[in-house]
Amino acid sequence: MGDHRNEIIQKLMEVVSDSARVLTKMEDLYSFSFDASFGVYRPDIVCQPMATEEVVDIIKIASKYAVPIVARGRGTSLSGGPLPVKGGIVLDFSLWNTKLEIDPDNLVAVVSPGVITSHINDKAGEFGLMYPPDPSSAHVSTIGGNLAENAGGPRGLKYGVTKDYVLGLEIVTADGKVIRTGGKTVKNVTGYDLTKLIVGSEGTLCVITEATLCLVPKPLATKTAMVLFDEIIDSGRAISKVLSAGILPSKMEIMDQHSIIAVEEYAVLGLPIDVEAILLIELDGHPLAIEEEMSRVADACMAVGARHVQVAQDNEEAERLWQARRLVSPAIVRVKPTKISEDATIPRSEIPAMFQRLKEIREKYNVHLVVFGHAGDGNLHPNIIADQRDVEEMSRVEQAVEEIFEAAVQLGGTLSGEHGIGTMKSPFMEMELGEDGLHLMKMVKEAWDPQNILNPGKIFPEPGQRFELRND
Ligand SMILES: Cc1cc2nc3c(=O)[nH]c(=O)nc-3n(C[C@H](O)[C@H](O)[C@H](O)COP(=O)(O)OP(=O)(O)OC[C@H]3O[C@@H](n4cnc5c(N)ncnc54)[C@H](O)[C@@H]3O)c2cc1C
């Protein structure tokens, strides 16, 4: 941006209706220089648009000066998505939460990009409806960030992820054009499905300024069970056994022994610390149906070696059981301060094999590897707890993470089930996609953003880029 900074600031002040929403002071810019992953990159300017016309004008200015534009929701990305690694203008959407309309006749919600995800589900609930995608960060992350990362959550097992609930988008392109994709119809096969291409594109193809989301009827009831396993491999078998018995739980989450111990030391919930794994299983639907299904779930788990199945008798007990899962993240960071959260995902049948590989990786590199996550859809969250000040330990961690990705891909899986590629996983893209697959994706990027101003430095590896866990 260099010499043009003042000129650009002047022009931005003219197009953003309130100049207080153009931030230029160092102390303000610093707040937008990090996310929930690694690395600190200060933007040159931050704009906080609250209307599509403002986004259009800002992008036209950025395009004229060939300056990077990095969209940002609430900065909870675990993969480096909103980091302005090449400087430029950060478009902070966190203030633009003004539109949250529910259309109950069409079962849709129309939202502005800065709306907090859980607010959509809360509002839908007032109409007896539900917005299913439920990332653990739903109470802090924005729908714009969820769309750009194609976020998922525990309910993904039964209901799918963000992309399965997007009917239409309003976007602004790299040259400042406003385009609408899809709409309020459930079906739409007019031409290429641009909506689905944009979802998960991490702000590299366009900027999302409005979304039309599909809602579903809220289930009548839920039922939760906690299942204990002496062997973690058996918990993997239980997942396949339950699903192949024709039962589709709404949630099926796993905690390994390391996470159970960490939670118990953190909150004393009375969890058994001598088991190798806990599965938390939630069913939803008609109360009579889920009662019968839960007894079949229990039988299936016991048949593959579960030690015990505890079925919650009421909502309060269910809430207590889920508390254990919710506390994993805060609990494990008390062990060591640096948390490297991965989301390598494998086909469900390979869950036992992946557990075995993770065990070997833990021992080979002597790292504090904790496994929890959305086991029912194969989206495990191997987390490594470390201390970034310990250079030797961090080098072992980097090697362990590389091997986790290799294991996932070798087992027919993927680098990321929901956290996205960002800066963290770009060095591994070719490993999964192959040279030609990666090239095809690059051609899409070049067609949409020939100047490479939209979130540059993400998804695609830079020449010679190596994997490193930086936090400078
Ligand atoms: C404790 C914790 C738990 C988490 N749990 C989950 C989980 O269960 N499931 C899951 O999927 N993720 C999870 N995440 C990761 C993160 O919350 C998600 O990726 C979320 O979607 C990011 O939303 P955000 O608003 O913070 O976006 P940001 O982090 O600000 O941005 C994320 C990406 O979206 C782009 N972007 C943001 N807004 C727009 C827009 N309007 N137009 C175009 N691009 C845009 C950014 O450029 C960036 O690439 C978790 C994170 C934390 C810290």
Side-chain angles (χ1 to χ4, degrees):
M1 185 172 283
D3 296 345
H4 295 296
R5 185 166 183 266
N6 288 340
E7 204 176 313
I8 294 172
I9 291 171
Q10 186 57 40
K11 288 193 185 310
L12 291 171
M13 297 271 191
E14 285 164 19
V15 299
V16 176
S17 70
D18 177 355
S19 60
R21 290 191 275 109
V22 179
L23 311 179
T24 55
K25 290 193 199 129
M26 288 305 148
E27 58 268 32
D28 291 336
L29 299 180
Y30 185 73
S31 309
F32 299 88
S33 61
F34 47 83
D35 65 359
S37 70
F38 282 80
V40 178
Y41 301 88
R42 210 187 53 226
D44 294 293
I45 303 167
V46 173
C47 291
Q48 300 177 302
M50 293 185 72
T52 304
E53 302 71 47
E54 288 183 348
V55 175
V56 168
D57 290 340
I58 296 166
I59 290 189
K60 281 186 176 163
I61 293 168
S63 170
K64 181 173 173 214
Y65 290 92
V67 166
I69 280 276
V70 182
R72 181 182 178 95
R74 296 283 290 252
T76 66
S77 169
L78 293 165
S79 55
L83 298 177
V85 294
K86 311 251 180 215
I89 302 168
V90 160
L91 278 188
D92 168 33
F93 283 108
S94 62
L95 301 185
W96 192 3
N97 56 4
T98 40
K99 189 174 203 177
L100 172 41
E101 293 170 1
I102 306 290
D103 173 352
D105 293 337
N106 284 310
L107 279 82
V108 303
V110 182
V111 296
S112 51
V115 168
I116 299 286
T117 311
S118 65
H119 295 178
I120 303 170
N121 191 43
D122 293 346
K123 187 85 179 168
E126 294 172 16
F127 297 83
L129 300 170
M130 173 169 87
Y131 175 65
D134 58 343
S136 309
S137 54
H139 56 297
V140 278
S141 61
T142 65
I143 188 63
N146 284 192
L147 289 160
E149 298 285 10
N150 191 12
R155 283 203 289 244
L157 170 62
K158 180 169 181 176
Y159 291 97
V161 295
T162 304
K163 77 168 168 6
D164 302 307
Y165 293 87
V166 193
L167 296 177
L169 295 171
E170 180 193 83
I171 58 156
V172 181
T173 60
D175 56 355
K177 293 200 176 71
V178 180
I179 291 183
R180 281 196 168 267
T181 72
K184 283 192 177 181
T185 60
V186 178
K187 290 179 162 185
N188 181 332
V189 292
T190 306
Y192 295 141
D193 192 345
L194 297 182
T195 310
K196 291 284 195 294
L197 175 61
I198 293 161
V199 175
S201 63
E202 303 189 21
T204 63
L205 296 183
C206 61
V207 169
I208 300 163
T209 46
E210 188 178 281
T212 303
L213 307 168
C214 164
L215 306 171
V216 298
K218 201 172 163 180
L220 288 177
T222 59
K223 203 155 189 63
T224 295
M226 177 183 272
V227 190
L228 311 182
F229 292 90
D230 290 320
E231 306 276 343
I232 194 167
I233 305 283
D234 291 339
S235 67
R237 292 199 192 99
I239 292 162
S240 301
K241 187 90 179 163
V242 169
L243 297 173
S244 59
I247 299 166
L248 188 54
S250 42
K251 301 179 185 172
M252 218 174 188
E253 298 279 301
I254 191 161
M255 291 168 61
D256 76 348
Q257 191 170 24
H258 300 277
S259 24
I260 299 166
I261 293 172
V263 168
E264 203 44 33
E265 284 174 355
Y266 179 67
V268 194
L269 300 179
L271 301 173
I273 54 173
D274 61 332
V275 292
E276 266 197 14
I278 285 175
L279 278 186
L280 278 162
I281 302 176
E282 182 192 89
L283 302 174
D284 70 0
H286 191 281
L288 294 178
I290 58 176
E291 190 74 38
E292 194 265 338
E293 281 184 352
M294 190 53 95
S295 83
R296 286 168 57 207
V297 166
D299 291 347
C301 291
M302 293 307 282
V304 292
R307 182 200 288 185
H308 177 65
V309 180
Q310 178 186 348
V311 180
Q313 294 310 307
D314 51 37
N315 287 345
E316 286 72 40
E317 190 180 348
E319 193 47 34
R320 277 200 301 280
L321 297 183
W322 280 109
Q323 198 189 358
R325 169 68 181 86
R326 271 197 296 274
L327 289 180
V328 175
S329 283
I332 58 178
V333 288
R334 295 238 306 204
V335 180
K336 281 189 179 182
T338 311
K339 176 169 167 280
I340 298 100
S341 181
E342 290 309 340
D343 70 327
T345 302
I346 55 275
R348 284 180 275 222
S349 60
E350 299 292 354
I351 291 173
M354 188 66 178
F355 283 147
Q356 185 58 38
R357 293 288 293 270
L358 291 172
K359 201 172 174 176
E360 288 160 13
I361 292 168
R362 180 189 296 116
E363 283 160 15
K364 180 172 171 190
Y365 296 104
N366 187 24
V367 286
H368 199 109
L369 175 59
V370 176
V371 186
F372 59 95
H374 320 310
D377 54 17
N379 185 193
L380 302 177
H381 287 324
N383 275 240
I384 300 183
I385 312 304
D387 185 341
Q388 67 193 22
R389 293 164 298 188
D390 185 337
V391 176
E392 187 277 327
E393 182 183 33
M394 289 310 278
S395 137
R396 279 185 284 117
V397 171
E398 283 174 359
Q399 292 175 66
V401 170
E402 286 200 50
E403 213 162 305
I404 291 172
F405 291 140
E406 274 165 27
V409 172
Q410 281 163 8
L411 291 171
T414 179
L415 301 174
S416 176
E418 57 184 25
H419 295 166
I421 300 301
T423 52
M424 295 282 287
K425 293 172 207 165
S426 50
F428 303 102
M429 285 290 276
E430 197 170 318
M431 178 170 85
E432 179 173 334
L433 300 174
E435 200 183 329
D436 293 339
L438 188 57
H439 179 65
L440 190 58
M441 281 197 193
K442 269 191 192 152
M443 284 172 27
V444 174
K445 164 73 175 166
E446 280 163 20
W448 282 60
D449 179 20
Q451 283 181 290
N452 192 24
I453 56 169
L454 293 175
N455 210 1
K458 307 298 165 63
I459 300 182
F460 302 103
E462 303 279 303
Q465 187 185 345
R466 287 184 56 250
F467 172 61
E468 50 185 1
L469 295 167
R470 297 177 45 185
N471 197 11
D472 47 0

